C-alpha cells in the first residue's frame, strides 16, 4: 500500500507528522504534541490530509507504475 507522510520541521527538528496509515497527527516535541491534539480534533484538516493520499500519491503512483510497465 501507499503511505503518505506530512512532516513539519523547524530548525531541523521534526515537531509533528501526519501519517496516513495512522490517520492522525503525532507530535514529537512538547509544542508538536499540543498541535497534534488540536489538529486531530479538526475533522476538516484530517480529511484534507487523507485527500492528499488519494489525489496526489495514488495518482502519481499510477503514472509511475505505468511508466515502469511500459519499459518492460
Amino acid at each position: 500500500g501507499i503511505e503518505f507522510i506530512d512532516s513539519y520541521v523547524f530548525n531541523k527538528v521534526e515537531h509533528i507528522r501526519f501519517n496516513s496509515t495512522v490517520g492522525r497527527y503525532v507530535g514529537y516535541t512538547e509544542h508538536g504534541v499540543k498541535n497534534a491534539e488540536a489538529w486531530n480534533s479538526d475533522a476538516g484538516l484530517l480529511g484534507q490530509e487523507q485527500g492528499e493520499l488519494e489525489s496526489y500519491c495514488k495518482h502519481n503512483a499510477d503514472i509511475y507504475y505505468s511508466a515502469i510497465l511500459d519499459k518492460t
Side-chain angles (χ1 to χ4, degrees), residues 20-40:
S20 65
T21 301
V22 178
R24 55 186 287 129
Y25 293 95
V26 177
Y28 295 100
T29 62
E30 183 178 351
H31 183 69
V33 169
K34 288 180 182 176
N35 278 329
E37 289 173 2
W39 295 359
N40 284 330

Side-chain angles (χ1 to χ4, degrees), residues 3-4 10 13 20-22 27 31 37 44 47 49 58 61 63 67-68:
E3 181 177 57
F4 172 67
F10 182 71
V13 175
S20 65
T21 301
V22 178
H31 183 69
E37 289 173 2
E49 290 281 20
K58 290 185 179 176
I63 293 170
I68 290 172

Side-chain angles (χ1 to χ4, degrees), residues 6-55:
D6 193 3
S7 294
Y8 295 82
V9 178
F10 182 71
N11 284 344
K12 300 181 182 177
V13 175
E14 184 177 27
H15 291 272
I16 190 169
R17 174 191 296 179
F18 176 84
N19 181 320
S20 65
T21 301
V22 178
R24 55 186 287 129
Y25 293 95
V26 177
Y28 295 100
T29 62
E30 183 178 351
H31 183 69
V33 169
K34 288 180 182 176
N35 278 329
E37 289 173 2
W39 295 359
N40 284 330
S41 67
D42 186 335
L45 194 56
L46 290 175
Q48 186 177 333
E49 290 281 20
Q50 288 289 4
E52 291 292 323
L53 173 68
E54 296 296 325
S55 65

